[in-house]
Amino acid sequence: MRTLILFLLLFSFAANSLLAQSKQIKGTVTDKQGMPVYGATIKIKGNSKGTSAGTDGTFVVTVEPGAILVISAVGHETQEVKTGTSSTITVSLGDDIKTLTDIVVTGVAQATSKEKLAFSLTKVSTEKINTAPALDLSQTLRGKVAGIQITQTQGDDGASVFLRGAKSIFGNISPLIVIDGFVTNFSLSDLNPQDVEAIEVVKGAAASALYGTRAEGGVIQVISKKGKGTKGVAITVDNEVGINNIQRTPALANMHHYVTSDTDPYGFAYASGSTTSRIVNYKSNGFSVNLSPYKNNYNNTDALLGDNKYFSNYVSIATSGDKYNAFLSFRNQYTGGVAEPIDPNKKKSLQLRLQFRPTPKLEAEVYVNYFNEVKPSAAVTANGQGTFFAASLQWEPFINLAAKNAAGNYNVRPDGWNIQGANLSNPMYEWSKREYTNNTDNYLAGGKLRYKVLRNLSVEVLGSMRKQNYTASDTYPRGFETTTTSESLNNGNVSLGYNYYQMMNGQAQVNYNTRFGDDITLGVTGKMVYEEWYEKEFGVSGYDFSRSSDIYVIGNTRTDTRTGYGSDMFTNQTVNYGYYLNFQTSWRDKVFVDALARVDQSSRYGIDEQTAFFPRVSLAYRITQDFNLGNAISELKARVNYGAAGSVPAYNLKNSRVTVSASGFTLNQLASTDLQRSITHEWEFGIDAVLYRKINVQFNYALARSSGDVVRPPAFTPYEAAGVYKNFGVTKSNSLELEVNGNAIQTKNFSWDFGLTFGRVRSEIKSLGNGLPPFTDGLFWKDAGVSPFAMYGNKVLTSLSQLEVDKTSGKVINAAGGAYTLSDFTVNNRGFVVLASQVGTKDEKPLLLQKGGASVSTVIGDAQPDFQVGFTNTFTFFKNLTLYGTVDWQQGGQKYDQTTQYLSFDGRTQIWQDYAASGLPLPFLQTLYNGNSYTDFWIANSSYVALRELSLSYRFPGPKKNKIFKDISLSLIGRNLYTWTDFKGTNPEGSHEYFPYPVYRTFSTRLIVNF
């Protein structure tokens, strides 16, 4: 009994001692402005136990005396706090600039860290955006994001940006552009890179599911500078000045095939009795030609499209305090005219960001953007024969388009025009007389409110409005000359156009976050989205100005020539509603599950398909939380996700039904009640890793199935429902992506930061669906089993194995009209199948694939590249000298070069010159020209390696005593400097070209002063 009593006394004493040692700590975590840090992690050092801070930054944890708390939060420096005798503590965490980029806001209901994401996301920092800022934001992501395709086919236009392959039988779908949480209809080319803090890119349907109906092409969110963390008032003045010129032009002929004469000012001999009819310089065989250099060789392309001035002025003011952040900026950009008579393109932008935190529970934000663009070059840089660039190439070089007459004016018919005999005008004359201008004003204004109702409950509301006004005017003066009489131009012509667009967006969101014990967290978000947009447009035109007035307005044109379109009434009104519920949970900070259900309604669907459902399920596991993989792999996370995102049909396609009868065609605009959205379902598998604590790796493999393209099938029997837009087709894509970036070398006087991206996407049309036969879409063929980028046209035979022999007659049935046997054919020295009897004669010509004696079209190429690679490198010497570069590599893929095809008809290309020099008859290449029809001879490999950005900068620190300025940076910058490619046309980017305006390259000097 005595032993038992002693044991109970000792047990009681020990228990009381332990209870006396443990105590409860109540704390608050704030940032350096004193604002609560929601979600901060509080752990006991040396122990797996811990908790997290609520929305008001408070936490409760039980510790033993002397315990050390490790307090961390994404975007903040980790602190260790030793517990003392007090039962309450307040911890202020400073900003950790190195990890701020880990916070992401795209594809998630609430801002979170990348380590907790269960889907892929790429974040591009301001350093990579603004070291050598592109002329607009559409060029910024080159070489920095895996699985992205950026194509600039027009030199004065922004680039087209697409993510992760075809989502349609028609090919790529543009991504949704979000600005600071505001869903917009902007393009990246509208935005100024200097105002951007970061860009977040989500390519998969799982991440895009959060945005529902409009995010089938992925999402790119632009995160603006807001002045956060600024000490005092920071002023930046950024000026850049340089020149633009064209990087590449097609390879042109520099020789001609006419008899020469030293006495003629142009170097030609003419037929007897003529001063304009040149004599072809045939060889003795009567069909091959002798080539001679031009006596006068003017480079009209360089003369017309040479160096042009470029400059940009930018100023920003930023400040922040305990309860506010503010950022204001203005930019003015000037890009010289594409030719002397054409006014420069100009862009202006204004951005204002204000954030207020009047109480710890309330936060308000105000966003204002204004963009103005004046773009006279728009009228001269369109694709196609007859454009400014086309004319500069088509005129032979003995003609000087830039020459002026005695009165100082350009000639509508340049000297020598009648010798060439082409139906061409002088673009320099036209644009010295023609007055064209346009103006685009874009406004975006919005606001956000966040209120923390309870410790774990918060609400957010957001609203924005975008307005766009576009005007254009085009005037030909009275007395305007043309090469042939033109009733609509010679006595003047004027046209005016106007377009107005408005979009409103509203969102309301409720967030609830809690923790169950030390291991499980749960976040729940419910959100409602409202979108509405509409537009109106109208225009008028007229010609034949009154002789009694020199005022060129519509009212002074002849009454019967006036036409108009549109009205002042709003059209194309669209209303979308979206609702979603999102659950996010984690276990021990290593297993993360995200489930989302979004329901959308749109006025563009058929009445029976008003509602669309977009799900998401994502799972991620941080392997290194359970397994120590050593210093080489400091972080490893595996993830898998599934999701769906969609696209709405174009306006009014649901009202496309008509009635067709055997006796005629009756238009009855009826609703196609079952018209649906197109939708992409996608599985994504990936890993995220950190190597040696400084190199980030992301790998993704994705499988996507896109269905429901809105297509108008041809009329069919029985005679009903013809012309109705319906949902057709299934397209599948698989994507392989790799991103590696980080710091390779870091010493006292040298550092090397690098980035590598790799992407390979393969897309295929799996089905067109019932009721939709195979069809062409311009150059491209749409059928099951082919790529959405498959080209369709005539095929030139290059091997005898391509010939098909009829077993009964012994005749070749797919070439030369079916009249010859296989032994009658051969392959000539240029690699073409020809009739053996015609080799070395005037009749020698290449043969086309035929069916039934006529040329037949087939699949002739595919624009899909094999893969794309990007490299970025930043070398820093002695902390202040920085060399930065970006290289963009595309391997494989094909492009149709209709520019070279058309020019070869007139003997204006290097290809024509090579064939003529080889002794082939002139009609040989005319057969390959094939009436400008799509023909596989003009398809070329579009592989390239491009030096996109190169910058050398030196930073001069400000004086230590007299703080006149903080620092000055001086940079030399080159953009689109050079492209290595075998492509002979204007530009290897894209899938088809027909006299596009060439892409600019820019050389400039940049001076940045920070005050």
Side-chain angles (χ1 to χ4, degrees), residues 42 131 154 163 204 225 324-325 343 361 370 446 457 476 494-495 526 627 657 688 734 814 828 888 955:
I42 298 92
T131 299
Q154 289 289 105
L163 303 173
K225 295 177 180 178
Y324 65 89
N325 300 312
D343 291 335
K361 290 188 174 184
Y370 169 69
L457 182 67
Y476 293 81
V494 63
S495 61
F627 301 94
R657 191 180 298 263
D688 299 313
N734 62 78
N814 63 342
N828 73 358
D888 184 20
R955 174 182 170 272

Side-chain angles (χ1 to χ4, degrees), residues 382 580 773 942:
Y580 74 69
S942 57

Side-chain angles (χ1 to χ4, degrees), residues 380-689:
V380 301
T381 56
N383 283 285
Q385 192 272 332
T387 60
F388 192 101
F389 180 55
S392 75
L393 298 173
Q394 288 175 269
W395 282 107
E396 290 184 54
F398 72 89
I399 293 173
N400 184 6
L401 297 181
K404 296 182 179 180
N405 57 30
N409 298 318
Y410 294 106
N411 294 308
V412 64
R413 298 178 180 87
D415 292 343
W417 70 275
N418 51 349
I419 297 174
Q420 182 171 347
N423 185 25
L424 298 171
S425 62
N426 185 353
M428 298 297 279
Y429 169 81
E430 177 182 351
W431 289 100
S432 66
K433 301 296 183 181
R434 181 179 173 185
E435 295 182 8
Y436 173 85
T437 188
N438 60 26
N439 184 86
T440 304
D441 289 308
N442 267 305
Y443 309 85
L444 175 64
K448 297 180 183 179
L449 283 175
R450 300 186 186 92
Y451 184 71
K452 296 175 181 177
V453 182
L454 299 171
R455 181 175 182 268
N456 294 328
L457 182 67
S458 64
V459 296
E460 301 178 23
V461 293
L462 175 155
S464 68
M465 177 178 286
R466 179 204 170 185
K467 291 185 177 183
Q468 176 181 287
N469 286 291
Y470 171 82
T471 59
S473 66
D474 196 0
T475 305
Y476 293 81
R478 190 171 55 242
F480 182 82
E481 295 182 54
T482 53
T483 54
T484 58
T485 302
S486 172
E487 179 187 8
S488 62
L489 294 179
N490 295 149
N491 201 35
N493 183 301
V494 63
S495 61
L496 304 171
Y498 172 79
N499 177 272
Y500 174 84
Y501 174 90
Q502 180 172 303
M503 177 181 180
M504 294 175 288
N505 178 273
Q507 303 175 34
Q509 178 172 324
V510 179
N511 306 311
Y512 176 75
N513 297 277
T514 190
R515 191 178 190 102
F516 300 96
D518 296 330
D519 296 334
I520 300 175
T521 66
L522 175 66
V524 182
T525 297
K527 190 170 188 175
M528 185 192 78
V529 178
Y530 170 81
E531 297 175 344
E532 180 182 5
W533 65 87
Y534 49 81
E535 64 180 316
K536 61 181 177 181
E537 66 175 342
F538 54 82
V540 292
S541 64
Y543 59 89
D544 196 3
F545 289 122
S546 168
R547 271 70 171 175
S548 62
S549 174
D550 289 328
I551 301 175
Y552 297 145
V553 294
I554 289 292
N556 284 338
T557 59
R558 200 174 76 221
T559 304
D560 64 316
T561 70
R562 300 173 192 168
T563 60
Y565 65 89
S567 73
D568 197 32
M569 298 178 63
F570 288 114
T571 60
N572 292 5
Q573 183 175 17
T574 299
V575 177
N576 292 337
Y577 291 94
Y579 313 87
Y580 74 69
L581 188 63
N582 180 224
F583 293 87
Q584 292 178 302
T585 185
S586 69
W587 179 65
R588 292 188 175 180
D589 204 31
K590 61 183 177 183
V591 178
F592 306 94
V593 178
D594 183 307
L596 177 137
R598 174 162 176 151
V599 174
D600 278 9
Q601 297 175 316
S602 176
S603 62
R604 291 193 180 183
Y605 300 154
I607 194 169
D608 295 334
E609 296 291 343
Q610 287 287 303
T611 301
F613 176 64
F614 303 99
R616 170 171 88 197
V617 179
S618 304
L619 172 67
Y621 169 49
R622 294 177 65 194
I623 299 170
T624 43
Q625 293 292 90
D626 286 328
F627 301 94
N628 185 353
L629 301 180
N631 186 56
I633 304 178
S634 50
E635 176 73 39
L636 180 63
K637 178 180 68 177
R639 48 184 164 74
V640 59
N641 58 71
Y642 165 81
S647 298
V648 294
Y651 179 76
N652 214 32
L653 294 191
K654 68 178 183 181
N655 295 324
S656 61
R657 191 180 298 263
V658 297
T659 300
V660 179
S661 65
S663 60
F665 189 89
T666 305
L667 176 62
N668 293 313
Q669 196 168 36
L670 304 172
S672 180
T673 59
D674 56 354
L675 189 68
Q676 306 172 27
R677 80 290 187 205
S678 56
I679 190 168
T680 292
H681 298 267
E682 183 178 73
W683 282 94
E684 180 187 84
F685 308 87
I687 61 170
D688 299 313

Side-chain angles (χ1 to χ4, degrees), residues 814-1004:
N814 63 342
Y820 300 90
T821 65
L822 185 61
S823 61
D824 293 324
F825 297 88
T826 189
V827 177
N828 73 358
N829 59 4
R830 301 295 301 207
F832 297 103
V833 174
V834 298
L835 289 171
S837 61
Q838 295 178 349
V839 173
T841 73
K842 64 181 179 60
D843 297 318
E844 183 178 354
K845 62 182 178 181
L847 299 176
L848 301 179
L849 181 69
Q850 292 183 338
K851 182 177 182 180
S855 298
V856 63
S857 291
T858 186
V859 173
I860 56 176
D862 188 352
Q864 286 190 109
D866 296 331
F867 61 81
Q868 292 177 301
V869 176
F871 302 95
T872 60
N873 287 281
T874 304
F875 302 97
T876 303
F877 307 88
F878 304 101
K879 298 183 180 180
N880 292 321
L881 180 63
T882 301
L883 177 65
Y884 170 82
T886 300
V887 174
D888 184 20
W889 170 21
Q890 174 178 299
Q891 181 61 40
Q894 294 173 307
K895 181 173 183 177
Y896 196 88
D897 184 7
Q898 200 166 6
T899 302
T900 301
Q901 179 182 14
Y902 193 91
L903 289 172
S904 295
F905 174 76
D906 293 323
R908 293 291 300 121
T909 63
Q910 186 66 51
I911 289 176
W912 173 89
Q913 186 168 300
D914 290 344
Y915 273 71
S918 71
L920 289 169
L922 292 178
F924 191 96
L925 198 62
Q926 295 302 319
T927 303
L928 294 173
Y929 168 71
N930 197 22
N932 209 30
S933 299
Y934 297 132
T935 309
D936 67 340
F937 178 77
W938 305 103
I939 291 178
N941 187 302
S942 57
S943 298
Y944 64 82
V945 176
L947 180 57
R948 298 294 184 185
E949 300 167 345
L950 189 62
S951 170
L952 180 64
S953 306
Y954 189 83
R955 174 182 170 272
F956 299 89
K960 295 182 179 180
K961 293 183 178 181
N962 186 1
K963 290 289 185 179
I964 302 174
F965 59 88
K966 294 177 182 177
D967 58 61
I968 295 176
S969 294
L970 181 64
S971 304
L972 300 176
I973 297 176
R975 304 181 183 90
N976 278 335
L977 290 177
Y978 194 80
T979 300
W980 292 268
T981 181
D982 292 332
F983 185 75
K984 301 301 183 183
T986 309
N987 179 7
E989 296 180 42
S991 57
H992 179 208
E993 74 164 56
Y994 191 30
F995 294 108
Y997 187 80
V999 173
Y1000 293 139
R1001 57 183 173 189
T1002 306
F1003 304 89
S1004 65

Side-chain angles (χ1 to χ4, degrees), residues 90-134:
T90 298
V91 181
S92 178
L93 299 181
D95 291 337
D96 184 353
I97 302 302
K98 293 182 180 179
T99 63
L100 277 175
T101 55
D102 289 339
I103 302 173
V104 298
V105 295
T106 307
V108 292
Q110 303 179 59
T112 188
S113 64
K114 286 188 70 175
E115 69 180 13
K116 298 180 180 180
L117 283 182
F119 52 81
S120 65
L121 180 147
T122 300
K123 186 163 186 173
V124 182
S125 67
T126 187
E127 289 79 15
K128 288 189 176 181
I129 296 170
N130 284 307
T131 299

